[in-house]
Amino acid sequence: MTSLTQPARGQHTKERLLDAAETLFAERGIKATSLRQITARASANLAAVNYHFNSKEALTQAVFTRRLDPLNGERLRLLGAAEKASGDSPVTLETTLHAFLDPTVKLWTEAPAFMLLLGRLEFEADEKLHGFYLTQFEEVLIRFKAAVTRALPDVPMKDLFWRIHFLLGAMVHAVTCHADLEWISGGLCQTQPFQEMVDRLVAFGVTGLRATPLYPEGNR
Amino acid sequence: MTSLTQPARGQHTKERLLDAAETLFAERGIKATSLRQITARASANLAAVNYHFNSKEALTQAVFTRRLDPLNGERLRLLGAAEKASGDSPVTLETTLHAFLDPTVKLWTEAPAFMLLLGRLEFEADEKLHGFYLTQFEEVLIRFKAAVTRALPDVPMKDLFWRIHFLLGAMVHAVTCHADLEWISGGLCQTQPFQEMVDRLVAFGVTGLRATPLYPEGNR
DNA sequence: GTCTATAGCATGATAGAC
DNA sequence: GTCTATCATGCTATAGAC
């Protein structure tokens, strides 16, 4: 098994370019990374990017699909399995959150640079890339939306969306800003190993999602 | 009162440059914004940036201090007033969170572009700017850390830090990614006016921070 | 204080030899 | 598939007229 974040000698140039681009995009941003930096890190020639991908934009999209396809596939597979196992009764909120988070943690362990890049994407992406990114999550959104709604039938949809939005923010922030946590806590909290963070995230999310609605009508 | 986000004729060139830089930095990132774009938007000459600020880097720092000084000053003032008012008993968690969030919302209303920029900063900043940014929050961190600890004496520090970290993530995400919320909710949730979002954020935060500790020992 | 003009450099992309 | 060489463009920063 070769490393997923650092270029290795044996890999094909195309793979090495993807690895190098992923790492550099995560470290310094997409626009701020030049093709020269990418090809240098991949031990490839400057012209290789345009030979293998035609453009920097196409390389960027390839960096994302390579990881997002398996990630979202696994999320849907886990949720589907849980739904099958629970029969007519709804899947619990904890199981649903884990179906979403566990594949994330797996990817996080295997390719930490990519998770960082995902966190950055909201700001890095131009209109085109952002649209492409949203379509990658379309099915996941529909399926998990339905599952959470079924797990929490008494919480109005509007409250749920707000809370899910906050929870996603907590997740993204946790992934991208470990350094800040360590700074804030004066070193007391560590983000390695990941499992503790995930446990805490799930607990935080379950508590937040389960709270009684803020406005009685639920649709202020 | 002139607009705080769009260049106006009457303002001095230096102010117009700050306004233009703030807006463009928020929209497309610091590194991705050129001096040509800034001076064009400010209706100023390309050389004006280097005349008034010496460099793009100094202009960037000025964009931040202009907003952060009053913001953090007001946060400290509100917390100090609440502590004075409550005498020997600790300030409640709600009051503490509001002392932090209310000035944020005020700034958000007056200069939405800057809040967006703040959310981006984690990824935009190089080592130098990031260090500068952290020092701007040093006193706020100390004071609010102490206030939250006093408000929740039974929650272990470690749990508190984790939860505050998650809550900060929810805040930043809420500020920066309205479009995503509207997309996820299919238009059901709107981030305007801000007050509803703040109410929900505080409720979400209070619930999350108050939860019983995840690990009995509190220091797994 | 504001302008034009330009130096000096890095970028994305391509042409064409091997 | 990989290389060198190069083009056109855009960048920050500066010099010097007004």
Side-chain angles (χ1 to χ4, degrees):
Chain A
M1 186 76 182
T2 60
S3 163
L4 288 163
T5 54
Q6 281 198 340
R9 306 281 144 172
Q11 291 170 298
H12 194 260
T13 299
K14 198 168 176 176
E15 283 297 309
R16 291 208 318 277
L17 286 172
L18 285 170
D19 290 340
E22 180 177 88
T23 310
L24 291 169
F25 286 168
E27 273 174 15
R28 57 191 81 177
I30 297 171
K31 201 149 193 172
T33 301
S34 70
L35 295 186
R36 282 171 171 80
Q37 292 169 327
I38 294 171
T39 50
R41 185 176 236 271
S43 306
N45 186 272
L46 173 59
V49 168
N50 281 281
Y51 174 78
H52 286 287
F53 299 94
N54 295 322
S55 69
K56 186 184 178 182
E57 184 186 337
L59 165 65
T60 307
Q61 291 209 0
V63 166
F64 283 99
T65 46
R66 182 172 67 143
R67 306 288 188 193
L68 288 182
D69 281 355
L71 173 69
N72 285 328
E74 182 67 2
R75 283 170 172 164
L76 292 171
R77 196 189 63 74
L78 287 179
L79 182 59
E83 282 169 342
K84 201 166 183 182
S86 72
D88 287 342
S89 56
V91 178
T92 66
L93 185 61
E94 280 86 349
T95 305
T96 305
L97 287 182
H98 271 292
F100 188 85
L101 283 174
D102 288 350
T104 317
V105 179
K106 185 162 162 280
L107 179 56
W108 197 353
T109 311
E110 291 170 359
F114 181 76
M115 293 306 295
L116 235 172
L117 177 55
L118 260 196
R120 293 191 76 129
L121 188 67
E122 193 69 39
F123 309 112
E124 286 289 331
D126 52 27
E127 198 97 356
K128 210 169 184 176
L129 183 58
H130 191 74
F132 160 79
Y133 166 79
L134 287 184
T135 62
Q136 296 280 105
F137 284 91
E138 213 146 37
E139 194 180 351
V140 165
L141 175 67
I142 293 172
R143 293 279 303 280
F144 279 82
K145 222 152 112 167
V148 173
T149 310
R150 252 179 279 123
L152 294 173
D154 295 335
V155 181
M157 293 276 280
K158 192 173 181 182
D159 290 71
L160 267 186
F161 285 135
W162 273 104
R163 293 171 188 180
I164 287 172
H165 190 236
F166 294 149
L167 179 58
L168 281 175
M171 282 180 48
V172 171
H173 197 246
V175 171
T176 52
C177 310
H178 346 151
D180 284 3
L181 172 64
E182 284 161 29
W183 182 71
I184 286 176
S185 71
L188 182 61
C189 300
Q190 299 289 332
T191 48
Q192 290 279 359
F194 294 131
Q195 194 53 50
E196 179 182 355
M197 184 189 312
V198 177
D199 289 348
R200 291 186 181 277
L201 254 176
V202 170
F204 188 79
V206 167
T207 308
L209 292 180
R210 280 240 175 83
T212 53
L214 183 55
Y215 305 106
E217 295 302 301
N219 58 354
R220 163 182 159 159
Chain B
M1 186 77 183
T2 59
S3 164
L4 287 164
T5 53
Q6 281 199 341
R9 307 281 143 172
Q11 290 171 297
H12 194 258
T13 299
K14 198 167 176 176
E15 283 296 309
R16 292 208 318 277
L17 286 172
L18 285 171
D19 290 341
E22 180 177 270
T23 309
L24 290 169
F25 286 170
E27 274 173 13
R28 57 190 82 176
I30 297 171
K31 202 151 193 169
T33 301
S34 71
L35 295 185
R36 281 172 169 79
Q37 294 169 327
I38 294 171
T39 51
R41 184 176 237 271
S43 305
N45 187 272
L46 173 58
V49 168
N50 281 282
Y51 174 77
H52 285 286
F53 298 95
N54 296 323
S55 68
K56 185 184 178 182
E57 185 186 336
L59 165 65
T60 308
Q61 291 210 0
V63 166
F64 282 100
T65 46
R66 182 171 68 142
R67 305 288 188 195
L68 288 182
D69 283 353
L71 172 69
N72 285 327
E74 181 69 2
R75 283 170 172 163
L76 292 171
R77 198 189 63 75
L78 287 179
L79 182 59
E83 282 169 343
K84 201 167 183 181
S86 72
D88 286 341
S89 57
V91 178
T92 66
L93 185 62
E94 279 87 350
T95 306
T96 306
L97 287 182
H98 270 292
F100 188 85
L101 284 174
D102 287 352
T104 317
V105 179
K106 187 163 160 280
L107 179 57
W108 197 352
T109 310
E110 291 168 2
F114 181 75
M115 292 306 297
L116 235 171
L117 176 56
L118 261 196
R120 296 190 74 132
L121 189 65
E122 192 69 40
F123 310 111
E124 286 290 330
D126 51 29
E127 198 98 355
K128 208 168 184 177
L129 183 58
H130 192 74
F132 160 81
Y133 165 79
L134 287 184
T135 62
Q136 297 278 107
F137 283 91
E138 213 146 38
E139 195 181 349
V140 165
L141 176 66
I142 293 170
R143 293 280 304 280
F144 278 83
K145 222 153 111 167
V148 173
T149 309
R150 253 180 279 124
L152 294 173
D154 295 334
V155 181
M157 294 275 280
K158 193 173 181 181
D159 290 71
L160 268 186
F161 285 136
W162 274 104
R163 293 171 188 179
I164 287 172
H165 190 235
F166 294 150
L167 179 58
L168 281 175
M171 280 179 49
V172 171
H173 197 246
V175 172
T176 52
C177 311
H178 345 152
D180 283 3
L181 172 64
E182 286 162 27
W183 182 70
I184 285 176
S185 71
L188 182 62
C189 299
Q190 299 290 329
T191 48
Q192 291 280 359
F194 294 131
Q195 193 53 50
E196 179 181 356
M197 186 190 310
V198 177
D199 289 348
R200 291 185 182 278
L201 254 176
V202 171
F204 188 79
V206 167
T207 308
L209 292 180
R210 281 240 175 84
T212 52
L214 183 56
Y215 304 108
E217 296 302 301
N219 59 351
R220 165 184 157 155

